[in-house]
Amino acid sequence: MKRPYSFSHRLACAGRGFLLVLQGERHMKVHLVAFAFVLAAGFYFRLSPWEWVCLLGVSVLVLTLEMVNAALEHTLDLLHPGEHPTVGAAKDIMAGAVLVAVCLALVVGAILFLPHML
């Protein structure tokens, strides 16, 4: 019987996955730079704990969906390397999900930061 992987092994795999997305996906880099600015603004404006919860929630949602999008694209490219309308639709739908999360993050950011800025 095969032993389950240790926690440290699973953590290393997750870290490797994060680095793969960071190295291979330009949009992930853009999202992380935006996240760094958002964190800096949050500290600058001294957000309340609930504001932090909202801000971190939508930010992590965007980063997570970008990683899921990358995983889906890699999987679909492996399963069907050529052009196919269904594969293209699946990729577009996932990219749309990332876009929806980004729009939500922008709205939440505006709601949180505009009162501090005005």
Side-chain angles (χ1 to χ4, degrees), residues 18 28 31-32 34-36 38-39 51-69 94 97-98 101-102 104-106 108:
F18 182 79
M28 187 63 163
H31 294 312
L32 282 174
F35 184 49
V38 164
L39 289 176
E51 289 173 321
W52 275 112
V53 167
C54 294
L55 194 66
L56 293 174
V58 294
S59 297
V60 170
L61 175 66
V62 170
L63 297 174
T64 302
L65 282 175
E66 188 62 49
M67 292 177 77
V68 172
N69 183 38
M94 193 61 231
V98 176
V102 167
L104 173 65
L106 290 171
V108 169

Side-chain angles (χ1 to χ4, degrees), residues 24-113:
E25 301 296 326
R26 182 176 42 120
H27 288 112
M28 187 63 163
K29 293 174 188 169
V30 171
H31 294 312
L32 282 174
V33 168
F35 184 49
F37 279 110
V38 164
L39 289 176
F43 284 115
Y44 178 79
F45 290 118
R46 296 185 175 150
L47 297 182
S48 72
W50 280 111
E51 289 173 321
W52 275 112
V53 167
C54 294
L55 194 66
L56 293 174
V58 294
S59 297
V60 170
L61 175 66
V62 170
L63 297 174
T64 302
L65 282 175
E66 188 62 49
M67 292 177 77
V68 172
N69 183 38
L72 179 70
E73 286 185 0
H74 284 274
T75 302
L76 291 174
D77 288 344
L78 176 67
L79 295 175
H80 201 292
E83 293 283 325
H84 191 277
T86 304
V87 170
K91 288 180 175 184
D92 290 348
I93 291 166
M94 193 61 231
V98 176
L99 179 62
V100 168
V102 167
C103 290
L104 173 65
L106 290 171
V107 169
V108 169
I111 291 169
L112 295 179
F113 288 122

